[in-house]
Coordinates of all heavy atoms in Angstrom, one line a residue:
M1 N 0.8 -1.2 0.0 CA 0.0 0.0 0.0 C 0.9 1.2 0.0 O 1.8 1.4 0.8 CB -0.9 0.0 1.3 CG -1.8 1.2 1.4 SD -2.8 1.2 2.9 CE -3.8 -0.3 2.6
P2 N 0.7 2.2 -0.9 CA 1.5 3.4 -1.0 C 1.2 4.3 0.2 O 0.1 4.2 0.8 CB 1.1 4.1 -2.3 CG -0.3 3.5 -2.6 CD -0.4 2.2 -2.0
P3 N 2.2 5.1 0.6 CA 2.0 6.1 1.7 C 0.8 6.9 1.4 O 0.5 7.3 0.2 CB 3.2 6.9 1.7 CG 4.3 6.1 1.0 CD 3.5 5.3 0.0
A4 N 0.1 7.3 2.4 CA -1.2 8.0 2.3 C -1.2 9.3 3.1 O -0.4 9.5 4.0 CB -2.4 7.1 2.8
I5 N -2.0 10.2 2.6 CA -2.3 11.4 3.4 C -3.6 11.1 4.1 O -4.6 10.7 3.4 CB -2.5 12.6 2.5 CG1 -1.3 12.9 1.6 CG2 -2.9 13.9 3.3 CD1 -1.5 13.9 0.5
V6 N -3.7 11.3 5.4 CA -4.9 11.0 6.1 C -5.6 12.4 6.2 O -5.0 13.4 6.7 CB -4.6 10.5 7.5 CG1 -5.9 10.4 8.3 CG2 -3.9 9.1 7.4
L7 N -6.9 12.4 5.8 CA -7.7 13.6 6.0 C -8.8 13.2 6.9 O -9.7 12.4 6.7 CB -8.3 14.0 4.6 CG -9.3 15.1 4.7 CD1 -8.7 16.4 5.3 CD2 -9.9 15.4 3.3
L8 N -8.8 13.9 8.1 CA -9.9 13.8 9.1 C -10.7 15.1 9.0 O -10.1 16.1 9.5 CB -9.3 13.6 10.4 CG -8.5 12.2 10.6 CD1 -7.5 12.3 11.7 CD2 -9.5 11.1 10.9
S9 N -11.8 15.1 8.4 CA -12.6 16.3 8.2 C -14.0 16.1 8.7 O -14.6 15.1 8.4 CB -12.5 16.8 6.8 OG -13.3 17.9 6.6
A10 N -14.5 17.1 9.3 CA -15.9 17.2 9.7 C -16.8 17.5 8.6 O -18.1 17.5 8.7 CB -16.1 18.2 10.9
S11 N -16.2 17.8 7.4 CA -17.0 18.2 6.2 C -17.1 17.1 5.3 O -16.0 16.7 4.7 CB -16.3 19.4 5.6 OG -16.9 19.6 4.3
D12 N -18.3 16.5 5.0 CA -18.4 15.5 4.1 C -18.0 15.9 2.7 O -17.5 15.1 1.9 CB -19.8 14.9 4.1 CG -20.2 14.1 5.3 OD1 -19.2 13.6 6.0 OD2 -21.3 14.0 5.7
T13 N -18.2 17.2 2.4 CA -17.8 17.8 1.1 C -16.3 17.6 0.9 O -15.8 17.2 -0.2 CB -18.2 19.2 1.0 OG1 -19.6 19.3 1.2 CG2 -17.8 19.8 -0.4
D14 N -15.5 17.9 2.0 CA -14.0 17.7 1.9 C -13.7 16.2 1.6 O -12.8 15.9 0.7 CB -13.4 18.0 3.2 CG -13.3 19.5 3.6 OD1 -13.7 20.3 2.7 OD2 -13.0 19.8 4.7
L15 N -14.3 15.3 2.3 CA -14.1 13.9 2.1 C -14.4 13.4 0.7 O -13.7 12.7 0.1 CB -14.8 13.1 3.2 CG -14.4 13.5 4.7 CD1 -15.3 12.8 5.6 CD2 -13.0 13.2 4.9
L16 N -15.6 13.9 0.2 CA -16.0 13.5 -1.1 C -15.0 14.0 -2.2 O -14.7 13.3 -3.1 CB -17.4 13.9 -1.4 CG -18.5 13.2 -0.6 CD1 -19.8 14.0 -0.8 CD2 -18.6 11.8 -1.0
A17 N -14.6 15.3 -2.0 CA -13.7 15.9 -3.0 C -12.3 15.2 -3.0 O -11.8 14.9 -4.1 CB -13.5 17.4 -2.7
A18 N -11.8 14.8 -1.8 CA -10.6 14.1 -1.7 C -10.7 12.7 -2.4 O -9.8 12.3 -3.1 CB -10.1 14.0 -0.3
R19 N -11.8 12.0 -2.1 CA -12.0 10.7 -2.7 C -12.0 10.8 -4.2 O -11.4 10.0 -4.9 CB -13.3 10.1 -2.2 CG -13.5 8.7 -2.8 CD -14.7 8.0 -2.2 NE -14.2 7.5 -0.9 CZ -14.9 7.7 0.3 NH1 -16.0 8.3 0.3 NH2 -14.4 7.2 1.4
A20 N -12.7 11.8 -4.7 CA -12.9 12.0 -6.2 C -11.6 12.4 -6.9 O -11.4 12.2 -8.1 CB -14.0 13.0 -6.5
S21 N -10.6 12.9 -6.1 CA -9.4 13.4 -6.7 C -8.5 12.2 -7.2 O -7.6 12.4 -8.0 CB -8.6 14.2 -5.7 OG -8.0 13.4 -4.7
G22 N -8.7 11.1 -6.6 CA -7.9 9.9 -7.0 C -6.5 9.9 -6.3 O -5.7 9.1 -6.6
G23 N -6.3 10.9 -5.4 CA -5.0 11.0 -4.7 C -4.9 9.9 -3.6 O -5.8 9.1 -3.4
P24 N -3.7 9.9 -3.0 CA -3.5 8.8 -2.0 C -4.1 9.2 -0.6 O -3.4 9.3 0.4 CB -1.9 8.8 -2.0 CG -1.5 10.2 -2.2 CD -2.6 10.7 -3.2
W25 N -5.4 9.4 -0.6 CA -6.0 9.9 0.6 C -6.5 8.7 1.4 O -7.0 7.7 0.8 CB -7.2 10.8 0.3 CG -6.9 12.1 -0.3 CD1 -6.9 12.4 -1.7 CD2 -6.4 13.2 0.3 NE1 -6.5 13.7 -1.9 CE2 -6.2 14.2 -0.7 CE3 -6.2 13.6 1.7 CZ2 -5.8 15.5 -0.4 CZ3 -5.7 14.8 2.0 CH2 -5.5 15.8 1.0
R26 N -6.5 8.8 2.7 CA -7.2 7.9 3.6 C -8.1 8.8 4.4 O -7.7 9.7 5.0 CB -6.2 7.2 4.5 CG -6.8 5.9 5.1 CD -5.8 5.1 5.8 NE -4.7 4.6 4.9 CZ -3.4 4.5 5.3 NH1 -3.1 4.7 6.6 NH2 -2.5 4.0 4.5
L27 N -9.4 8.5 4.4 CA -10.4 9.5 4.8 C -11.3 9.0 6.0 O -11.6 7.9 6.1 CB -11.4 9.8 3.6 CG -10.7 10.2 2.3 CD1 -11.7 10.2 1.2 CD2 -10.0 11.5 2.4
A28 N -11.6 10.0 6.9 CA -12.5 9.7 8.0 C -13.1 11.0 8.5 O -12.5 12.1 8.4 CB -11.8 9.0 9.1
N29 N -14.3 10.9 9.1 CA -14.9 12.0 9.7 C -14.6 11.9 11.2 O -15.0 10.9 11.8 CB -16.4 12.0 9.5 CG -17.1 13.2 10.0 OD1 -16.8 13.7 11.1 ND2 -18.1 13.7 9.2
P30 N -14.0 12.9 11.9 CA -13.7 12.8 13.3 C -14.9 12.6 14.2 O -14.9 11.9 15.2 CB -13.0 14.1 13.7 CG -12.9 14.9 12.4 CD -13.6 14.2 11.3
A31 N -16.1 13.1 13.7 CA -17.3 12.9 14.5 C -17.7 11.4 14.6 O -18.4 11.0 15.5 CB -18.5 13.7 13.9
R32 N -17.2 10.6 13.6 CA -17.5 9.2 13.6 C -16.3 8.3 13.8 O -16.3 7.1 13.5 CB -18.2 8.8 12.3 CG -19.5 9.6 12.1 CD -20.3 9.1 10.9 NE -19.7 9.6 9.6 CZ -20.1 10.7 9.0 NH1 -21.0 11.5 9.6 NH2 -19.5 11.1 7.9
T33 N -15.2 8.9 14.3 CA -13.9 8.2 14.4 C -13.4 8.4 15.8 O -13.0 9.5 16.2 CB -12.9 8.7 13.4 OG1 -13.4 8.6 12.1 CG2 -11.6 7.9 13.5
G34 N -13.3 7.3 16.6 CA -12.8 7.3 17.9 C -11.3 7.1 17.9 O -10.7 6.6 16.9
P35 N -10.6 7.5 19.0 CA -9.2 7.3 19.1 C -8.7 5.8 18.9 O -7.6 5.6 18.4 CB -8.9 7.7 20.6 CG -10.0 8.6 20.9 CD -11.2 8.1 20.2
A36 N -9.6 4.9 19.2 CA -9.2 3.5 19.0 C -9.0 3.1 17.6 O -8.3 2.2 17.2 CB -10.2 2.5 19.7
A37 N -9.7 3.8 16.7 CA -9.6 3.5 15.2 C -8.4 4.2 14.6 O -8.0 3.9 13.4 CB -10.9 4.0 14.5
L38 N -7.7 5.1 15.3 CA -6.7 5.9 14.7 C -5.4 5.1 14.3 O -4.8 5.3 13.3 CB -6.3 7.1 15.5 CG -7.4 8.1 15.5 CD1 -7.1 9.3 16.5 CD2 -7.6 8.7 14.1
P39 N -4.9 4.2 15.1 CA -3.7 3.5 14.8 C -3.8 2.8 13.4 O -2.9 2.9 12.6 CB -3.5 2.4 15.9 CG -4.1 3.1 17.1 CD -5.3 3.8 16.5
E40 N -4.9 2.1 13.1 CA -5.1 1.5 11.8 C -5.2 2.6 10.7 O -4.6 2.4 9.6 CB -6.3 0.6 11.8 CG -6.5 -0.1 10.5 CD -7.7 -1.1 10.5 OE1 -8.3 -1.3 11.6 OE2 -8.1 -1.5 9.4
L41 N -5.9 3.6 10.9 CA -6.1 4.7 9.9 C -4.7 5.4 9.6 O -4.5 5.7 8.5 CB -7.1 5.7 10.5 CG -7.5 6.8 9.5 CD1 -8.3 6.2 8.3 CD2 -8.4 7.8 10.3
L42 N -3.9 5.5 10.6 CA -2.6 6.3 10.4 C -1.5 5.4 10.0 O -0.5 5.9 9.5 CB -2.2 7.0 11.8 CG -3.2 7.9 12.4 CD1 -2.7 8.5 13.6 CD2 -3.6 9.0 11.4
A43 N -1.6 4.1 10.0 CA -0.5 3.2 9.7 C -0.2 3.4 8.2 O -1.0 3.4 7.3 CB -1.0 1.7 9.9
G44 N 1.1 3.7 7.9 CA 1.6 3.9 6.6 C 1.4 5.3 6.0 O 1.7 5.5 4.9
A45 N 0.8 6.1 6.8 CA 0.6 7.5 6.4 C 1.9 8.3 6.5 O 2.7 8.0 7.3 CB -0.5 8.2 7.2
F46 N 2.0 9.4 5.6 CA 3.1 10.3 5.8 C 2.8 11.6 6.3 O 3.6 12.4 6.7 CB 3.9 10.3 4.5 CG 3.2 11.0 3.3 CD1 3.3 12.4 3.1 CD2 2.5 10.3 2.4 CE1 2.7 13.0 2.1 CE2 1.9 10.8 1.3 CZ 2.0 12.2 1.1
C47 N 1.5 12.0 6.4 CA 1.0 13.2 7.0 C -0.5 13.1 7.3 O -1.2 12.3 6.7 CB 1.4 14.4 6.2 SG 0.5 14.6 4.7
I48 N -0.9 14.0 8.1 CA -2.3 14.1 8.5 C -2.8 15.5 8.4 O -2.2 16.4 8.9 CB -2.5 13.6 10.0 CG1 -1.8 12.2 10.2 CG2 -4.0 13.6 10.4 CD1 -1.6 11.9 11.7
V49 N -4.0 15.6 7.9 CA -4.7 16.9 7.9 C -6.0 16.7 8.7 O -6.8 15.8 8.4 CB -5.1 17.4 6.4 CG1 -5.8 18.7 6.4 CG2 -3.8 17.5 5.6
V50 N -6.2 17.6 9.7 CA -7.4 17.5 10.5 C -8.1 18.9 10.4 O -7.6 19.9 10.6 CB -7.0 17.3 12.0 CG1 -8.2 17.3 12.9 CG2 -6.1 16.1 12.2
R51 N -9.4 18.8 10.0 CA -10.3 20.0 9.9 C -11.5 19.8 10.8 O -12.3 18.9 10.5 CB -10.7 20.2 8.4 CG -11.4 21.5 8.2 CD -11.5 21.8 6.7 NE -12.3 23.0 6.5 CZ -13.5 23.1 6.0 NH1 -14.1 22.0 5.6 NH2 -14.1 24.3 5.9
L52 N -11.5 20.6 11.8 CA -12.6 20.4 12.8 C -13.6 21.5 12.9 O -13.2 22.7 12.8 CB -11.9 20.2 14.2 CG -11.0 19.1 14.5 CD1 -10.4 19.2 15.8 CD2 -11.8 17.8 14.3
L53 N -14.8 21.2 13.1 CA -15.9 22.2 13.4 C -16.0 22.2 14.9 O -16.0 21.2 15.6 CB -17.2 21.7 12.8 CG -17.3 21.8 11.3 CD1 -18.6 21.1 10.9 CD2 -17.2 23.2 10.8
G54 N -16.0 23.4 15.5 CA -16.2 23.5 16.9 C -14.9 23.6 17.7 O -14.9 23.5 19.0
G55 N -13.8 23.7 17.1 CA -12.5 23.8 17.8 C -12.0 22.6 18.4 O -12.5 21.5 18.2
R56 N -11.0 22.8 19.2 CA -10.3 21.7 19.9 C -11.2 20.8 20.7 O -11.1 19.6 20.8 CB -9.2 22.3 20.7 CG -8.3 21.3 21.4 CD -7.2 22.0 22.1 NE -6.1 21.1 22.5 CZ -4.9 21.4 22.9 NH1 -4.6 22.7 23.0 NH2 -4.1 20.5 23.2
R57 N -12.2 21.4 21.4 CA -13.1 20.7 22.3 C -14.0 19.7 21.5 O -14.6 18.9 22.2 CB -13.9 21.7 23.1 CG -14.9 22.4 22.3 CD -15.7 23.5 23.1 NE -16.6 24.2 22.4 CZ -16.3 25.2 21.5 NH1 -15.1 25.5 21.3 NH2 -17.3 25.8 20.8
S58 N -14.1 19.8 20.2 CA -15.0 19.0 19.5 C -14.4 17.5 19.3 O -15.2 16.6 19.0 CB -15.3 19.6 18.1 OG -14.2 19.5 17.3
W59 N -13.1 17.3 19.5 CA -12.5 16.0 19.3 C -11.2 15.9 20.1 O -10.2 15.6 19.6 CB -12.3 15.8 17.8 CG -12.0 14.4 17.4 CD1 -12.8 13.3 17.6 CD2 -11.0 13.9 16.5 NE1 -12.3 12.2 17.0 CE2 -11.2 12.6 16.3 CE3 -9.9 14.5 16.0 CZ2 -10.3 11.8 15.6 CZ3 -9.0 13.7 15.2 CH2 -9.2 12.4 15.0
P60 N -11.3 16.1 21.4 CA -10.1 16.2 22.2 C -9.2 15.0 22.3 O -8.0 15.0 22.1 CB -10.6 16.6 23.6 CG -12.0 16.3 23.6 CD -12.5 16.4 22.2
A61 N -9.8 13.8 22.5 CA -9.1 12.6 22.6 C -8.5 12.2 21.3 O -7.3 11.7 21.2 CB -9.9 11.5 23.2
G62 N -9.3 12.3 20.2 CA -8.8 12.0 18.9 C -7.6 12.9 18.5 O -6.6 12.5 17.9
L63 N -7.8 14.2 18.7 CA -6.7 15.2 18.4 C -5.5 14.9 19.1 O -4.4 14.9 18.6 CB -7.2 16.6 18.7 CG -6.4 17.7 18.1 CD1 -6.2 17.6 16.6 CD2 -7.1 19.0 18.4
Q64 N -5.6 14.5 20.4 CA -4.4 14.2 21.2 C -3.7 13.0 20.6 O -2.5 12.9 20.5 CB -4.8 13.9 22.7 CG -3.7 13.6 23.6 CD -4.1 13.3 25.0 OE1 -5.3 13.5 25.3 NE2 -3.2 13.0 25.8
A65 N -4.5 12.0 20.2 CA -3.9 10.7 19.6 C -3.2 11.1 18.3 O -2.1 10.5 18.0 CB -5.0 9.7 19.4
V66 N -3.8 11.9 17.5 CA -3.2 12.3 16.2 C -1.9 13.0 16.4 O -0.9 12.7 15.8 CB -4.2 13.1 15.4 CG1 -3.5 13.9 14.2 CG2 -5.3 12.3 14.8
L67 N -1.9 13.9 17.4 CA -0.7 14.7 17.6 C 0.4 13.8 18.3 O 1.6 14.1 18.0 CB -1.0 15.9 18.5 CG -1.9 17.0 17.9 CD1 -2.4 18.0 18.9 CD2 -1.1 17.7 16.8
A68 N 0.0 12.8 19.0 CA 1.0 11.9 19.6 C 1.6 10.9 18.6 O 2.5 10.2 18.9 CB 0.4 11.2 20.8
S69 N 1.0 10.8 17.4 CA 1.5 9.8 16.4 C 2.9 10.0 15.9 O 3.5 9.1 15.4 CB 0.5 9.8 15.2 OG 0.7 11.0 14.4
G70 N 3.4 11.3 16.0 CA 4.7 11.6 15.5 C 4.7 11.9 14.0 O 5.8 12.3 13.5
L71 N 3.6 11.8 13.4 CA 3.5 12.2 12.0 C 3.3 13.7 11.8 O 2.8 14.4 12.8 CB 2.3 11.5 11.3 CG 2.5 10.0 11.2 CD1 1.1 9.4 10.8 CD2 3.5 9.7 10.1
P72 N 3.7 14.3 10.7 CA 3.4 15.7 10.5 C 1.9 15.9 10.5 O 1.2 15.2 9.8 CB 4.0 16.0 9.1 CG 5.0 14.9 8.9 CD 4.5 13.7 9.6
V73 N 1.4 17.0 11.2 CA 0.0 17.2 11.3 C -0.3 18.7 11.0 O 0.3 19.6 11.5 CB -0.5 16.9 12.7 CG1 -2.0 17.1 12.8 CG2 -0.2 15.5 13.1
V74 N -1.3 18.9 10.1 CA -1.9 20.2 9.9 C -3.3 20.2 10.5 O -4.1 19.4 10.2 CB -2.0 20.5 8.3 CG1 -2.6 21.8 8.1 CG2 -0.6 20.4 7.7
V75 N -3.5 21.2 11.4 CA -4.8 21.3 12.1 C -5.5 22.6 11.6 O -4.9 23.7 11.8 CB -4.6 21.2 13.6 CG1 -6.0 21.2 14.3 CG2 -3.8 20.0 14.0
L76 N -6.7 22.5 11.1 CA -7.4 23.6 10.6 C -8.8 23.7 11.2 O -9.4 22.7 11.5 CB -7.5 23.5 9.1 CG -6.3 23.4 8.3 CD1 -6.6 22.9 6.9 CD2 -5.5 24.7 8.3
S77 N -9.4 24.9 11.2 CA -10.8 25.0 11.6 C -11.7 24.8 10.4 O -11.3 25.1 9.3 CB -11.0 26.5 12.0 OG -12.4 26.7 12.3
G78 N -12.8 24.2 10.7 CA -13.8 24.0 9.7 C -14.8 25.2 9.6 O -15.8 25.2 8.9
E79 N -14.6 26.2 10.5 CA -15.4 27.3 10.6 C -14.9 28.4 9.6 O -13.8 28.4 9.1 CB -15.4 27.9 12.0 CG -15.7 26.9 13.1 CD -17.1 26.5 13.2 OE1 -18.0 27.2 12.6 OE2 -17.4 25.4 13.7
P80 N -15.8 29.4 9.2 CA -15.4 30.4 8.3 C -14.2 31.3 8.8 O -13.3 31.7 8.0 CB -16.6 31.3 8.2 CG -17.7 30.5 8.6 CD -17.2 29.5 9.6
A81 N -14.1 31.5 10.1 CA -13.0 32.2 10.7 C -11.9 31.3 11.1 O -12.1 30.2 11.7 CB -13.5 33.1 11.9
P82 N -10.6 31.7 10.9 CA -9.5 30.9 11.4 C -9.5 30.7 12.9 O -10.0 31.6 13.6 CB -8.3 31.7 11.0 CG -8.7 32.7 9.9 CD -10.2 32.9 10.3
D83 N -9.0 29.6 13.4 CA -9.0 29.3 14.8 C -7.5 29.2 15.2 O -6.8 28.2 14.9 CB -9.7 28.0 15.1 CG -9.7 27.6 16.6 OD1 -8.7 27.9 17.3 OD2 -10.7 27.0 17.0
A84 N -7.0 30.3 15.8 CA -5.5 30.3 16.1 C -5.1 29.2 17.0 O -4.0 28.7 16.9 CB -5.2 31.7 16.8
E85 N -6.0 28.8 18.0 CA -5.6 27.7 18.9 C -5.4 26.4 18.1 O -4.5 25.6 18.3 CB -6.7 27.5 19.9 CG -6.4 26.3 20.9 CD -7.5 26.0 21.9 OE1 -8.6 26.4 21.7 OE2 -7.2 25.3 22.9
L86 N -6.3 26.1 17.1 CA -6.2 24.9 16.3 C -4.9 25.0 15.5 O -4.1 24.0 15.4 CB -7.4 24.7 15.4 CG -8.6 24.0 16.1 CD1 -9.7 23.9 15.1 CD2 -8.3 22.7 16.7
M87 N -4.7 26.1 14.8 CA -3.6 26.2 13.9 C -2.3 26.1 14.7 O -1.3 25.5 14.1 CB -3.7 27.6 13.2 CG -4.8 27.6 12.2 SD -5.2 29.1 11.2 CE -3.9 30.2 11.5
A88 N -2.2 26.5 15.9 CA -1.0 26.4 16.7 C -0.7 25.0 17.1 O 0.5 24.7 17.4 CB -1.2 27.2 18.0
L89 N -1.6 24.1 16.9 CA -1.4 22.7 17.2 C -0.7 22.0 16.0 O -0.1 20.9 16.2 CB -2.7 21.9 17.5 CG -3.4 22.4 18.8 CD1 -4.8 21.7 18.8 CD2 -2.6 22.1 20.0
S90 N -0.7 22.6 14.9 CA 0.0 22.0 13.7 C 1.4 21.8 14.0 O 2.1 22.6 14.7 CB -0.2 22.9 12.5 OG -1.5 23.0 12.1
T91 N 2.0 20.7 13.5 CA 3.4 20.3 13.8 C 4.3 20.7 12.6 O 5.4 20.4 12.6 CB 3.6 18.9 14.1 OG1 3.2 18.1 13.0 CG2 2.7 18.5 15.3
V92 N 3.7 21.3 11.6 CA 4.4 21.8 10.4 C 4.4 23.3 10.3 O 3.4 23.9 10.8 CB 3.9 21.1 9.1 CG1 4.0 19.6 9.1 CG2 2.4 21.5 8.9
P93 N 5.4 23.9 9.7 CA 5.3 25.4 9.6 C 4.1 25.9 8.8 O 3.7 25.2 7.9 CB 6.6 25.7 8.9 CG 7.5 24.5 8.9 CD 6.5 23.3 9.1
A94 N 3.7 27.0 9.1 CA 2.5 27.6 8.4 C 2.9 27.8 7.0 O 2.1 27.7 6.1 CB 2.2 29.0 9.1

């Protein structure tokens, strides 16, 4: 299995667009993904993009597990306005 980009997004539109792109995406909605499912989802990935609605408090245990994975992580808000707290959790430069 080739290395994948994991996209965890609360937006089904994001997930559908990524799937349709044909790229090396592994997709999940954090609202339906618990921390126990993350090791399998992240296995073989080379980076993770997390887009959350409701800020850090909307998926605290999952976000903690993603950040502890050691993989490069981009964390974004799913809201119209940027969320500085979420963006500061990213482990890659802006």
Side-chain angles (χ1 to χ4, degrees):
M1 179 182 297
I5 303 167
V6 175
L7 173 61
L8 295 154
S9 177
S11 168
D12 288 336
T13 304
D14 289 350
L15 300 174
L16 291 170
R19 179 172 288 128
S21 77
W25 295 99
R26 201 169 299 148
L27 309 169
N29 186 321
R32 296 186 287 269
T33 305
L38 290 173
E40 183 177 349
L41 187 64
L42 302 181
F46 67 88
C47 70
I48 306 164
V49 178
V50 180
R51 185 167 180 250
L52 297 175
L53 293 169
R56 186 178 192 163
R57 71 185 178 282
S58 68
W59 198 51
L63 192 53
Q64 182 178 357
V66 165
L67 293 169
S69 73
L71 292 166
V73 181
V74 177
V75 185
L76 305 165
S77 173
E79 307 290 340
D83 182 325
E85 180 186 17
L86 281 180
M87 291 176 12
L89 296 173
S90 295
T91 63
V92 296

